[in-house]
Amino acid sequence: MADADSSNRETELKLAVRPQDLETLRTAPAVSGRGKGRATSRTLEATYYDTPDRDLSARLLSFRVRREDDRFVQTLKSAPDSDGAGLSRGEWEWVVPGPAPDLTLITDETALAHLDGIDLTVLAPVFETHIHRSLRIITHGDTSIEVAFDEGEVRAPTGQTHPVAEIELELKHGDPRALFTLARELAAVAPVRVERRTKAARGYALADGTLGGAVKAARVEIDPACTVEGALCRVVRNCLEQLGANEACALAGNDPEGVHQARVALRRLRSALVVFKPFLPPDQITWLEGEVKWLAATFGPARDWDVFLTELLAPVKEGFAGSGEHGGEIPQDLETLEAAVEKGRAQAYGEVRTALSSARYGLFTLQVAEWLDSRGWRAQPVSEESIRLLEPIGHLADSLLAKRYRKVRKRGEGFEDLSIADRHQLRIAMKKLRYTADFFRGLYDDKPVRRYIELLGHFQDLLGHLNDVATATRLLHALHADGTAPSVGEARAAGVVIGWLARGTVALEPQLCDAWERFDAAKPFWSKAARLA
């Protein structure tokens, strides 16, 4: 881990907190007991600029002019480092005479390289931030950390705002591990969690109208020269970023896609741990898998109810909507069942909110970030497998993909005669292969990878319907496991839904068999001929 003293570098750990906890954390012994000098407060007003095509955002750059008391500071920040927890990034600052940018001051060669090819003459304001900052410098031995308590909002030109409540721990001098030590001490006082979105990222999302919405995974950028541990860092961080990006949507509970994408992030993370498991210490894998499994189990019921309501019950209701007297009381019974299911969904979403707001989840985000940043897996005996962490991932990707492929082939033997439970296990194995292919797609020609992933996705969706039917049956049987009495007509509606879904399952069988044959005949894209030079 690099020291923080490098020129034009910023090493910072950002923590999301509840607004009501800011004062408690500000006076925590970990801060007040180590403070150097008096705490200072200031109001920071910044305007962020970009081109009409958002060229800076596309490169994960941010460019702002911020008013700090009686002076203006122009700042360019680069994307976080690709490996580790992404705490370090480039930062260049220039004092400017007023609120407008002064592009003539940008003379640093590295900064100019980041901006190469971007027409800076068309920069225009995109959004603003208005932050009240309470600042304290704390020291511990040779380590110095700037602790900033930020409260305020991001403002879009449309007038929309987004609240900000967070703590920024910026390493001024010393060992970056001290950031995590301090964060854990703060977590013992009030819930905190790693905030992976910069203010700039939230500002762009607010301006684009996407803030608080569901977010799909970004592509993992891996090249053949990247080491195995470098690939591990990038894949795990990518999964965590997807999880963090969907926290707000999952907490709000008004868009099923938020919980779905958060759950996808956890499944991708579990798949990543399976892929890299041979190279990691067993105790670390056990802990990581345990925490991910706990969180995934929390999201599971909410997602199951969402699927039941939107993908399973809705078609049945639609089918009976125009039946009139021929449908008898079934349409009303389905409405009654839907109301009962909505109660189950509300309870499941409450459990999601409890988990995401818990100290356990906050510590999980902290500990995984520290594990990545400190290369925690290096704390293991040297072995034939552990040494491979330093090999180029390009040397191992074929074998890692082939291993997942063999699992799928084994699970799918005698496909036509497999039970629903066995087909569910096949779907899980196929999902792991699909995620692994997506992790390593940058190592291969994109066209065959894309076709292969689409093939897997189609088959996985067909198998998913079987699982959804089994899940629906389980959910309906457990709907009143708490002892409450079902409403009149609810049981009849449940029988109608299960019968409807069972009929669809029979009709699906020819498509499933065809999909397996297509997969069985498909040539894996990781053959040597498909690899990029």
Side-chain angles (χ1 to χ4, degrees):
M1 298 166 64
D3 189 272
D5 295 332
S6 301
S7 177
N8 296 321
R9 300 298 296 173
E10 172 189 65
T11 301
E12 179 182 84
L13 176 62
K14 192 184 299 289
L15 304 174
V17 302
R18 298 179 302 186
Q20 63 266 33
D21 291 330
L22 276 170
E23 183 58 32
T24 300
L25 291 163
R26 200 171 7 239
T27 57
V31 176
S32 61
R34 299 178 190 156
K36 182 180 180 181
R38 296 177 60 84
T40 60
S41 297
R42 58 171 57 173
T43 298
L44 306 174
E45 299 178 348
T47 301
Y48 286 74
Y49 293 82
D50 208 334
T51 68
D53 292 332
R54 304 287 169 83
D55 295 311
L56 294 174
S57 176
R59 296 188 187 181
L60 301 182
L61 300 171
S62 67
F63 183 72
R64 74 180 184 221
V65 176
R66 186 165 72 184
R67 181 171 184 172
E68 301 177 355
D69 297 328
D70 59 350
R71 70 171 190 161
F72 293 88
V73 178
Q74 171 179 282
T75 304
L76 172 69
K77 293 189 179 185
S78 65
D81 289 346
S82 57
D83 295 343
L87 304 186
S88 182
R89 58 179 174 167
E91 180 184 52
W92 296 266
E93 293 188 332
W94 305 269
V95 175
V96 291
D102 186 347
L103 304 178
T104 65
L105 297 175
I106 306 177
T107 58
D108 182 272
E109 291 184 2
T110 305
L112 289 171
H114 283 296
L115 298 169
D116 185 44
I118 297 177
D119 184 3
L120 299 179
T121 64
V122 296
L123 290 180
V126 180
F127 58 90
E128 299 176 350
T129 58
H130 294 255
I131 304 295
H132 177 75
R133 169 168 288 181
S134 176
L135 197 66
R136 195 74 185 265
I137 300 292
I138 69 169
T139 59
H140 186 69
D142 294 331
T143 299
S144 176
I145 299 174
E146 181 182 88
V147 185
F149 296 87
D150 287 355
E151 187 170 20
E153 62 185 19
V154 182
R155 299 177 185 174
T158 57
Q160 292 179 301
T161 63
H162 174 69
V164 173
E166 61 193 30
I167 304 173
E168 293 182 355
L169 308 179
E170 182 176 352
L171 189 66
K172 309 305 289 186
H173 178 76
D175 189 338
R177 285 176 293 188
L179 297 176
F180 293 102
T181 300
L182 176 58
R184 285 196 300 273
E185 292 175 333
L186 293 173
V189 176
V192 305
R193 67 180 187 278
V194 174
E195 175 59 84
R196 297 187 171 275
R197 303 166 302 164
T198 63
K199 292 184 182 71
R202 282 169 277 174
Y204 276 111
L206 182 66
D208 293 340
T210 59
L211 187 63
V215 179
K216 293 185 177 181
R219 181 165 175 163
V220 182
E221 298 296 337
I222 297 177
D223 57 76
C226 180
T227 63
V228 173
E229 72 171 9
L232 166 65
C233 283
R234 298 182 193 192
V235 169
V236 171
R237 201 178 91 196
N238 180 277
C239 297
L240 294 173
E241 286 172 350
Q242 184 189 11
L243 175 61
N246 286 285
E247 286 174 357
C249 191
L251 284 166
N254 51 20
D255 182 359
E257 193 65 14
V259 161
H260 175 51
Q261 290 301 325
R263 198 177 181 211
V264 168
L266 292 168
R267 286 179 166 176
R268 293 175 69 239
L269 181 52
R270 292 179 76 174
S271 295
L273 295 175
V274 170
V275 170
F276 293 102
K277 187 173 185 176
F279 317 113
L280 303 176
D283 60 326
Q284 295 179 11
I285 280 289
T286 298
W287 176 79
L288 283 165
E289 288 181 334
E291 291 303 286
V292 175
K293 185 176 181 180
W294 158 71
L295 198 54
T298 301
F299 280 91
R303 177 57 184 166
D304 289 343
W305 286 124
D306 280 337
V307 170
F308 182 85
L309 284 167
T310 60
E311 299 179 23
L312 303 180
L313 180 59
V316 181
K317 286 184 62 182
E318 184 179 351
F320 279 94
S323 61
E325 295 182 359
H326 298 289
E329 298 178 347
I330 292 178
Q332 181 58 48
D333 292 343
L334 292 172
E335 293 286 349
T336 301
L337 176 62
E338 183 177 35
V341 170
E342 286 283 7
K343 291 181 180 179
R345 178 187 181 276
Q347 181 179 347
Y349 266 81
E351 293 171 358
V352 168
R353 285 188 285 272
T354 298
L356 289 178
S357 304
S358 68
R360 180 175 180 178
Y361 176 68
L363 283 173
F364 166 73
T365 65
L366 276 173
Q367 291 173 319
V368 177
E370 184 174 17
W371 181 69
L372 291 175
D373 204 62
S374 66
R375 306 293 198 276
W377 49 83
R378 292 184 177 179
Q380 63 174 312
V382 176
S383 66
E384 184 178 345
E385 291 299 321
S386 65
I387 289 176
R388 306 197 80 176
L389 282 163
L390 303 181
E391 287 186 24
I393 188 63
H395 293 177
L396 291 176
D398 281 6
S399 62
L400 294 173
L401 283 160
K403 184 177 181 180
R404 302 262 61 81
Y405 177 72
R406 289 193 296 270
K407 293 281 187 180
V408 174
R409 294 294 299 270
K410 184 176 180 180
R411 289 287 187 186
E413 289 179 359
F415 178 79
E416 293 184 4
D417 298 322
L418 292 180
S419 65
I420 291 179
D422 289 335
R423 289 183 176 187
H424 177 57
Q425 294 303 315
L426 170 62
R427 177 172 174 260
I428 292 174
M430 187 162 285
K431 190 175 297 184
K432 290 177 180 178
L433 173 59
R434 182 184 174 192
Y435 290 149
T436 306
D438 194 52
F439 295 152
F440 296 148
R441 66 187 303 170
L443 304 174
Y444 303 88
D445 182 58
D446 191 63
K447 189 174 181 179
V449 178
R450 186 173 64 253
R451 285 199 302 260
Y452 199 81
I453 289 176
E454 288 173 354
L455 175 67
L456 293 174
H458 174 66
F459 194 11
Q460 182 183 316
D461 288 343
L462 293 175
L463 289 170
H465 180 75
L466 296 182
N467 182 62
D468 290 341
V469 172
T471 300
T473 303
R474 174 177 56 79
L475 289 174
L476 290 172
H477 285 147
L479 195 55
H480 294 284
D482 59 355
T484 58
S487 301
V488 176
E490 191 179 314
R492 181 167 53 218
V496 169
V497 172
I498 292 174
W500 183 289
L501 297 176
R503 183 189 64 177
T505 299
V506 173
L508 193 63
E509 185 64 20
Q511 296 181 57
L512 284 165
C513 293
D514 178 67
W516 173 254
E517 290 176 4
R518 290 178 59 199
F519 167 78
D520 194 44
K523 181 180 179 180
F525 65 83
W526 55 89
S527 62
K528 292 183 179 179
R531 178 178 289 282
L532 288 173

